[in-house]
Amino acid sequence: MPTDIDQSSGGSPPTETGPEAVATGSTAVRSSRALAPVAGVLLLAITVVLAGGVVTATIGAPPEPAPTTALSLSATDDRITVTHRGGDALNATELTVRVRIDGEPLARQPPVPFFSAAGFHPGPTGAFNAATDGAWRVGGTASFRVAETNDPTLEPGRTVAVDISVDGRPVATLEAVVDSG
């Protein structure tokens, strides 16, 4: 293959002539053009990683802490009463109440707030009643009566435990022995 060396420039690099020169020249052009797609892919990858970091930071934010309260429990015959003794007000619409008698959960749990529900006598009071204003504050009481159709039954001498949570965050676990009225 013939190469021409330019003697006048004092030893500049050889340049090729002929059909190979076109191929070499077009390869150089293709190489510089190939950088644009690579750069685009790199920018896309960086964008995806940064977006993933923002989403992870948003999703990974620590959950809001549960309200701090002091509650007390009493149980007489078929009535369970919880009194708000101190701390934060609780939103009745966000409450979940779970009852166990002698360690066994009630077959039907109270759907707080409610007025009439299977397994309970109508007309709960305070924050457990559907007609509540929504805020359960210090000094307020809330109660409901467990019907005989619910199992296990609430009877004097048995131990009743009540778990209260707000928006799935545990607030209190209370326990008392059922008194006769």
Side-chain angles (χ1 to χ4, degrees):
M1 162 174 357
T3 55
D4 295 331
I5 298 177
D6 184 3
Q7 301 292 331
S8 64
S9 65
S12 47
T15 56
E16 295 187 21
T17 57
E20 290 82 9
V22 175
T24 305
S26 65
T27 302
V29 171
R30 281 190 200 139
S31 295
S32 63
R33 285 186 187 166
L35 289 178
V38 170
V41 169
L42 224 86
L43 285 173
L44 180 61
I46 290 170
T47 303
V48 168
V49 168
L50 290 176
V54 170
V55 169
T56 302
T58 304
I59 292 174
E64 186 178 320
T68 304
T69 62
L71 305 173
S72 65
L73 174 69
S74 65
T76 306
D77 293 327
D78 64 351
R79 183 175 296 278
I80 294 175
T81 304
V82 182
T83 304
H84 193 310
R85 301 272 180 209
D88 299 329
L90 302 176
N91 185 340
T93 61
E94 297 173 347
L95 290 177
T96 301
V97 176
R98 294 292 168 248
V99 180
R100 294 182 315 275
I101 299 173
D102 290 336
E104 186 179 341
L106 286 176
R108 294 187 178 103
Q109 296 290 334
V112 174
F114 70 102
F115 180 76
S116 184
F120 299 91
H121 293 287
T125 66
F128 297 156
N129 190 298
T132 186
D133 70 353
W136 188 15
R137 294 179 185 83
V138 175
T141 60
S143 69
F144 55 87
R145 294 176 50 216
V146 180
E148 301 78 28
T149 58
N150 210 335
D151 186 49
T153 58
L154 199 60
E155 299 169 357
R158 298 186 92 172
T159 301
V160 62
V162 176
D163 296 319
I164 298 177
S165 55
V166 174
D167 261 350
R169 298 168 294 168
V171 172
T173 297
L174 310 165
E175 196 170 286
V177 175
V178 180
D179 291 331
S180 60

